[in-house]
Amino acid sequence: MDGRAGRLVPWILDALLGLAVIATLTAVISARQGGTKEPDALAYLWAIGLGALMLARRQHPRAVLLVSAFGLIVYYVGGYPAVGVGIPLAAALFSAAEGGRLAAATVTASAVLVLSLVFRLLAGQDAAYVLGYDLATQVTSMAMAIALGDGIRSRRAQRRHQRDMEELLARQYIQESESRVREERLAIARELHDSIGHTVSVISLHAEVAREAAPHGHPALDTALQRIKEASSATMRELRTTVGLLRSAKPAGRESISLSDLSPVFDAARSAGFDVDERVEVTSETLPRTIDVAAYRIVQEAVTNVVRHSQASRVSVVAAADGAKLRLTVTDDGPPPGRPRRGGHGIAGMTERATALGGSLRTRHEPGGFVVEADLPLGEDA
């Protein structure tokens, strides 16, 4: 029921706008100002037709505008009472601007206004009145209709952009949370391996030494030492399995991230209105796992920083092997900021990721925009 109501609301609003157009034009026609012909049924049908066009204004804004302008010309050629040009075209101009057809609305309004002025002056109307008074009224009414439509369109676009940004930030927060969890798991794995693993290995070693050094004829002692060795060996196998699970970069039930699949990052930037140029010349199969994950996170953070902070419209991402290192370059076309931004940790976090793996990260402003460049060594996976 809610979905049906949501679809009906635009039709109801358009119908009300059409009725307003019909009522306004009917009142102006009935005033019988000017013209060489008394209003008849065709004049009022013309008003109804302009109002009915509002039902198609969302799907075909340019067509509605052109038909309205052509209908206005035909109306005046018929010699009917004057209705101006701003009032009949206001709704169509508003609809075209609201639908993103600003150029069409401006050109059509200008053309109709020029034709109206030429026609009225050739018909002998007072030039001082036409150019000094009525022209300003018509221009103002049409300009207001276009400005109102374009303003509504801009606000809607801004709200969509804001929603896209909120979704992008929410995804980034989730990914950062998952990254922190993975880092904690790695820390636990290292601690288990370094402490418990070492201790169990020592127990196993000394149990074997004791079993070999024990005098013969003590089966209970031999059995106890053998069980200690077997238990310690089993414990080491279980420990290795547990550490392997903790160190796994692919959490259970979730697809692991990879530089080969940056589509979530690029799609988020595109949904926020950015043009994305991508050139990834390496595959995850050719990269150590830690390098692959770090590279993904660096590109993700760099692109997110562009979307959140820059005034750019385009972002370029290049990932390619350069000798024994992987080079990542993220560039935007935004202007340099007026003053340094405070409170952000994105660049610091990217730098930490790169240096932790023996690489480096640099940032700089160039005439064409802001550049983030990272080098990661292509060594063995840690």
Side-chain angles (χ1 to χ4, degrees):
M1 186 65 181
D2 292 341
R4 182 181 299 177
R7 290 190 296 269
L8 285 177
V9 168
W11 286 97
I12 294 174
L13 294 176
D14 292 346
L16 292 176
L17 179 60
L19 291 175
V21 170
I22 294 172
T24 302
L25 290 178
T26 299
V28 175
I29 292 172
S30 299
R32 294 180 172 84
Q33 297 294 324
T36 59
K37 185 177 181 180
E38 288 294 317
D40 54 16
L42 286 178
Y44 293 108
L45 283 176
W46 172 80
I48 294 174
L50 283 189
L53 284 174
M54 294 301 101
L55 297 176
R57 73 184 193 90
R58 296 179 189 270
Q59 294 76 21
H60 310 287
R62 186 185 287 117
V64 169
L65 177 62
L66 295 177
V67 171
S68 299
F70 180 75
L72 179 63
I73 295 173
V74 172
Y75 175 86
Y76 275 115
V77 170
Y80 290 108
V83 292
V85 293
I87 294 177
L89 290 182
L93 292 171
F94 164 82
S95 301
E98 185 188 22
R101 307 298 192 272
L102 183 61
T106 304
V107 171
T108 302
S110 301
V112 171
L113 186 62
V114 170
L115 288 175
S116 173
L117 292 175
V118 172
F119 176 81
R120 295 173 67 183
L121 292 175
L122 291 178
Q125 295 187 22
D126 183 32
Y129 172 80
V130 172
L131 299 176
Y133 173 77
D134 195 52
L135 176 61
T137 302
Q138 304 299 334
V139 170
T140 300
S141 61
M142 290 191 291
M144 289 179 61
I146 295 174
L148 179 60
D150 187 60
I152 292 177
R153 181 200 60 77
S154 298
R155 284 193 295 272
R156 287 175 180 169
Q158 184 177 9
R159 285 196 295 268
R160 287 195 299 270
H161 177 74
Q162 184 176 358
R163 287 195 299 269
D164 292 339
M165 287 293 300
E166 291 173 353
E167 293 174 0
L168 176 63
L169 293 176
R171 286 195 294 270
Q172 182 190 13
Y173 176 79
I174 292 173
Q175 291 168 345
E176 289 176 350
S177 299
E178 293 174 350
S179 177
R180 286 193 293 270
V181 170
R182 282 192 294 274
E183 291 172 357
E184 184 65 24
R185 287 156 66 102
L186 289 173
I188 295 172
R190 286 192 294 268
E191 184 65 25
L192 284 173
H193 185 272
D194 294 343
S195 59
I196 300 177
H198 174 73
T199 303
V200 173
S201 297
V202 172
I203 293 173
S204 177
L205 175 63
H206 283 280
E208 179 64 20
V209 172
R211 191 173 68 84
E212 293 179 356
H216 296 289
H218 294 78
L221 179 59
D222 289 341
T223 301
L225 292 174
Q226 181 64 27
R227 288 180 178 175
I228 291 175
K229 180 173 178 57
E230 292 174 352
S232 60
S233 297
T235 301
M236 281 299 298
R237 288 194 297 270
E238 294 177 0
L239 179 61
R240 290 191 185 98
T241 301
T242 303
V243 169
L245 291 174
L246 289 173
R247 287 178 61 86
S248 173
K250 185 175 181 179
R254 297 295 296 261
E255 183 179 0
S256 61
I257 61 175
S258 172
L259 194 64
S260 297
D261 185 15
L262 285 165
S263 54
V265 178
F266 297 149
D267 290 345
R270 291 188 178 102
S271 67
F274 286 78
D275 294 328
V276 179
D277 295 330
E278 52 181 290
R279 194 171 84 246
V280 179
E281 300 176 351
V282 293
T283 61
S284 58
E285 291 78 8
T286 62
L287 298 176
R289 182 59 194 160
T290 52
I291 298 297
D292 192 17
V293 173
Y296 180 97
R297 292 302 186 193
I298 290 173
V299 171
Q300 179 189 46
E301 181 65 30
V303 173
T304 301
N305 284 346
V306 172
V307 174
R308 293 178 61 184
H309 301 304
S310 77
Q311 299 179 9
S313 61
R314 180 182 298 275
V315 59
S316 172
V317 177
V318 178
D322 184 6
K325 61 186 176 183
L326 171 67
R327 171 156 293 180
L328 307 172
T329 306
V330 180
T331 309
D332 66 68
D333 62 352
R339 57 180 180 179
R341 298 184 179 91
R342 298 179 179 178
H345 303 285
I347 294 178
M350 291 187 290
T351 303
E352 290 175 0
R353 285 186 184 276
T355 55
L357 296 173
S360 62
L361 185 136
R362 301 167 297 282
T363 61
R364 62 183 182 275
H365 287 285
E366 293 185 348
F370 187 72
V371 179
V372 175
E373 190 174 73
D375 290 332
L376 303 177
L378 295 176
E380 291 294 326
D381 196 354

